[in-house]
Amino acid sequence: MLSTAPPEAPLLDGSDKAYLVGYLENLSLIERLHRLLLDVIKDEFERLDVYEINPVQALLLFNIGENEVSAGELKSRGYYQGSNVSYNLKKLVDLGYMHHQRSEVDRRSVRVRLTEKGRRMRVTLAQLFARQSEALMKRGLVDILAMEDANQLLKRLERFWTEQIRYIY
């Protein structure tokens, strides 16, 4: 887990240090929230006696939806890392959640799409997310404007990090 304590940086003045502390807290929260999301999915699966796939694989099914994609496309969209995508897609194909077909043009490339079993699992996740959305709304924990503000902030961070990868390094 990331530390929210700022590193010793003698050139930072008070407002710069405060900004850095806020940024480090954002990073820590993003990391924790992702892990918590996986735990929420795992708990739902345990309630439903679903043990053959893990939360990461379930999110793959959810994010693929009705699309037909390659592992490379999933990686380039930034959803999943390297070999984990290939491994998880292979497991999902083996378990009957996905169909796969080799590309006619590039035999190394495989395109995948959900089977009926995969679509049913996607519906299970969609129902979980809908219940959570409804509970957040009913409890008044986050109103629609705050949700939109949070989404805009996260999109700006995503753009910034994408630019860092593509243009600076």
Side-chain angles (χ1 to χ4, degrees), residues 6-118:
E8 292 306 314
L11 300 178
L12 293 179
D13 65 22
S15 63
D16 290 344
K17 267 190 184 173
Y19 196 90
L20 176 59
V21 168
Y23 178 65
L24 292 174
E25 186 173 358
N26 285 167
L27 297 178
S28 182
L29 285 167
I30 290 167
E31 181 183 17
R32 284 198 320 255
L33 287 171
H34 178 69
R35 271 190 267 126
L36 281 170
L37 173 62
L38 296 177
D39 287 343
V40 165
I41 294 168
K42 179 180 173 283
D43 287 350
E44 179 74 359
F45 282 1
E46 288 173 358
R47 277 190 282 283
L48 298 172
D49 289 326
V50 173
Y51 297 103
E52 69 180 359
I53 68 170
N54 65 42
V56 170
Q57 292 164 343
L59 281 175
L60 263 167
L61 295 173
F62 186 80
N63 288 323
I64 289 170
E66 294 303 316
N67 300 309
E68 183 176 289
V69 297
S70 70
E73 288 170 325
L74 289 169
K75 285 186 267 185
S76 70
R77 290 179 195 173
Y79 293 142
Y80 309 96
Q81 295 298 312
S83 64
N84 290 343
V85 174
S86 299
Y87 168 80
N88 284 317
L89 290 178
K90 182 181 180 336
K91 286 287 287 183
L92 291 167
V93 167
D94 291 346
L95 292 168
Y97 289 93
M98 291 189 168
H99 291 292
H100 74 289
Q101 181 176 357
R102 292 226 172 264
S103 168
E104 296 294 324
V105 177
D106 180 356
R107 300 302 291 166
R108 297 169 297 168
S109 177
V110 174
R111 300 201 54 84
V112 295
R113 60 183 161 73
L114 302 186
T115 62
E116 183 56 37
K117 184 178 180 181

